[in-house]
Amino acid sequence: MKILYINPARLQSGMDAVITGAPLSLISIAAMVPEHDAKLFDFKIDKFHEKKFRSELNRYDAVAITSMTPQVYSALEIAKMAKEQGCTTILGGYHPTLVPEFVAKRDYVDFTVRGEGEHTFKEVIDYIDDNKNNVSIKQIDGISYIDKDGKVIHNNERQLEHNLDNFPMPRRDLLKGKLYTYLGTTTRQVETSRGCPHNCKFCCIIKMWRNSNQPTTYRTKSISRIMREVYDVNEREKPDFIFFCEDNFTINVKRTNKILDTIIRSGIHSKMHFSCQSRVDTLYRNPDLIEKLYKANFRQVFLGIESVHQQSLDAMNKRNTTPAMVKQVVKSLRDKGISIFGGVILGFPGETQRMVRQNIQNTIDLDLDCVQFTPITAFPGTDFYDEMKEKGMITTNNYKFYDLFHPMMRTPQLTSKEMYRLVAEGYAAFYLKGWLIRRAKEYLNPFGKFNWMLSCLGRLVKQGVLGGLSMFYSQGITTKVISDELKNKEELMKDINISFQKTAAEKSQNGIEPKPLKSEKVEAIMEKT
Ligand code: B12
Ligand code: SF4
């Protein structure tokens, strides 16, 4: 059989302007059916001409399309086109998992795959391919489809694979010739674990990687498997960076240390840089980890900073994080020459316009290398979404706007229009008021801590700076949108400074220690097993 794997269109706004990540989802499921012909069409990279694309579709028996929530209309459009050209259509990924009905009810989608894709995809392909195993469609766990009476059927859920090492290596050969970049650097993703033991209010990871009879699921690959993947990427593609792409690479500190030690011992870190996503509380409690990350040539860390307001952090279920910890961790990382891409959530319920502006100003003061300001977003399929819907806070059902750039909800304090204005204000104040000069001074200094940037500076400027700026201008983001309130820093931050210092002082005076992390309990459990 011939299978075309499809990554849907680029988004107009948000991170897509500065990052083009390879679809690890598609190359992971493709690895499960190596006996079938495979090709990857990536709308973010490959040129699209409808006529040509349709005639290309004629050559395939099946298409496998991935979709996050804001891409879902594009994914459905492609599925419709593929069906018209006679292909069997299979859709999977975040949105089909979180809101399966939305996808499965379309008569041009043959199979909607929910949750972990590998085993389900293989069974679907075997089923389409003359049903060699002679199973009934009802026996394929993890799919939704329309039955012959026109009813949407959701089969039993697919249990997660216990041992991630049992999955074959992703089909990286399918990425050949496509230029995937993060802020201009050639970057490839490697996934070392799935799931997360935390429970941040706004996050959909927990719903994605979970057996419904368990509160949480966290699974890891073995270190030898991770190293095989690192070597495979290096040999094939020699990227500037490998990005350990799971949302929290440092969940289990002992395991993270082992991975870093192995990387250092192997010497592979002299061939490329690494980056990962981590949490402030983990790095705060484990400063040695920052040292070791640096030694292993990690030069970029994605951190969820979220808010300068403790009340928001608490309400987000990030009670273990304080603004003082954020400040400390950011300083420690940057002092070493590790750049930080921070995620900051604007307008969490309870935050007024003034509080949001304080959050923006605090982000500027932290002097992060890059920031993504996200209007508080409730992804459909999460408990947070249900709660916000019940309270009448959801302002649009158009998933196009669920892109972490446009607001999709309001709060008791902010309308969605005000929220959008604040996002624009945040980006303008952060990036258009001296950021470029500050960064250039650091990155262009051949003797400075960030001199590792020099090798990819041209591409960084082209994609990271010019791509980002042109996205801002296309969205009407200029310095004109910065409010007088944000311009008057002293007045704006006067109460923040007090509570900021108070938090730190309180902690040292009272000797208050943050509560043990749930992840540390998980570590203890994992050590025993
Ligand atoms: C790396 C990453 C990116 C990269 C690369 C994206 C890419 N092309 O894959 C970049 C930085 C570009 C990115 C951008 C965005 N991202 Co992103 N990203 C991730 C991250 C951290 C890892 C994704 C990954 O590779 N996982 C590993 C693979 C193997 O898992 P997977 O993709 O889920 O695929 C499995 C299953 O879903 C399923 N499956 C998936 N597709 C298909 C298709 C078929 C046919 C089948 C059968 C099965 C199947 O099988 C796979 C194997 O089990 C996830 C969080 C996470 N931990 O997953 C967020 C995440 C997916 N991103 C998210 C979002 C919102 C975005 C942005 C909208 C943010 C923004 N405003 O810029 C953009 C959208 C970009 C776009 N147009 O594609 C959300 C999605 C939420 C949602 N409900 O859709 C997540 C979950 C982050 C979060 N915590 O909220 N992202
Ligand atoms: S730590 Fe990251 S992945 Fe885990 S629940 Fe929080 S936001 Fe989601």
Side-chain angles (χ1 to χ4, degrees), residues 26-300:
L26 296 175
I27 61 172
S28 299
I29 57 166
M32 296 298 290
V33 288
E35 66 278 26
H36 297 290
D37 275 3
K39 189 177 163 186
L40 170 67
F41 189 92
D42 192 332
F43 274 75
K44 294 184 187 178
I45 303 242
D46 298 319
K47 290 217 165 68
F48 171 71
H49 302 287
E50 185 171 340
K51 221 168 142 192
K52 255 171 110 184
F53 183 65
R54 280 186 184 270
S55 72
E56 174 91 352
L57 284 169
N58 286 335
R59 305 197 301 112
Y60 289 88
D61 303 298
V63 293
I65 308 166
T66 188
S67 181
M68 296 183 204
T69 295
Q71 298 169 306
V72 70
Y73 301 109
S74 161
L76 289 174
E77 217 176 288
I78 297 162
K80 192 158 185 272
M81 230 184 266
K83 193 80 221 158
E84 284 162 5
Q85 303 309 127
C87 305
T88 300
T89 55
I90 311 163
L91 252 91
Y94 270 85
H95 200 71
T97 300
L98 295 170
V99 200
E101 192 80 21
F102 183 81
V103 176
K105 69 182 182 191
R106 322 276 158 167
D107 58 5
Y108 47 85
V109 177
D110 295 308
F111 300 92
T112 299
V113 173
R114 310 184 321 259
E116 190 155 76
E118 282 88 346
H119 289 310
T120 313
F121 185 64
K122 180 170 173 31
E123 289 178 25
V124 168
I125 294 297
D126 287 350
Y127 180 79
I128 303 169
D129 188 22
D130 286 343
N131 195 5
K132 287 184 200 108
N133 300 330
N134 204 16
V135 296
S136 105
I137 191 168
K138 283 202 163 74
Q139 288 171 282
I140 306 176
D141 288 348
I143 58 168
S144 302
Y145 54 94
I146 301 176
D147 72 2
K148 54 182 184 334
D149 303 323
K151 212 173 131 215
V152 174
I153 303 294
H154 301 289
N155 281 3
N156 289 340
E157 80 178 49
R158 163 78 49 185
Q159 291 297 300
L160 298 171
E161 165 61 52
H162 182 65
N163 181 0
L164 290 180
D165 284 8
N166 284 342
F167 289 142
M169 300 274 282
R171 289 275 312 266
R172 296 192 185 273
D173 56 302
L174 297 177
L175 303 176
K176 202 161 176 249
K178 301 195 196 317
L179 188 63
Y180 290 105
T181 53
Y182 275 55
L183 298 162
T185 59
T186 54
T187 299
R188 287 290 188 262
Q189 290 129 240
V190 169
E191 190 197 31
T192 80
S193 68
R194 283 183 184 172
C196 179
H198 296 287
N199 186 19
C200 301
K201 184 106 182 170
F202 50 82
C203 182
C204 57
I205 296 296
I206 335 140
K207 276 274 156 83
M208 177 78 198
W209 302 118
R210 191 176 74 129
N211 289 327
S212 64
N213 57 357
Q214 290 167 325
T216 174
T217 6
Y218 174 61
R219 296 161 299 153
T220 56
K221 290 181 184 168
S222 68
I223 296 191
S224 60
R225 165 63 187 249
I226 296 165
M227 292 309 287
R228 264 179 68 207
E229 292 202 29
V230 167
Y231 273 89
D232 186 42
V233 170
N234 180 52
E235 270 155 35
R236 282 176 195 279
E237 307 171 82
K238 309 225 170 323
D240 298 324
F241 270 89
I242 279 188
F243 169 41
F244 291 120
C245 74
E246 59 267 38
D247 278 70
N248 195 342
F249 174 66
T250 56
I251 285 175
N252 180 335
V253 175
K254 250 186 212 154
R255 170 182 173 271
T256 313
N257 265 307
K258 277 187 203 154
I259 298 173
L260 298 178
D261 285 334
T262 313
I263 288 175
I264 294 165
R265 266 202 316 275
S266 73
I268 190 88
H269 60 314
S270 63
K271 298 197 162 61
M272 66 193 134
H273 303 300
F274 292 92
S275 57
C276 68
Q277 311 201 63
S278 182
R279 269 181 60 124
V280 166
D281 49 3
T282 314
L283 295 180
Y284 179 82
R285 290 164 149 267
N286 301 280
D288 293 353
L289 200 55
I290 297 182
E291 249 343 284
K292 199 165 283 171
L293 284 167
Y294 180 78
K295 229 170 134 191
N297 215 5
F298 279 64
R299 290 295 179 270
Q300 201 157 54

Side-chain angles (χ1 to χ4, degrees), residues 459-476:
R459 280 172 284 136
L460 177 80
V461 170
K462 196 167 164 228
Q463 193 194 26
V465 180
L466 298 181
L469 290 182
S470 69
M471 187 273 282
F472 288 159
Y473 287 116
S474 74
Q475 302 292 320

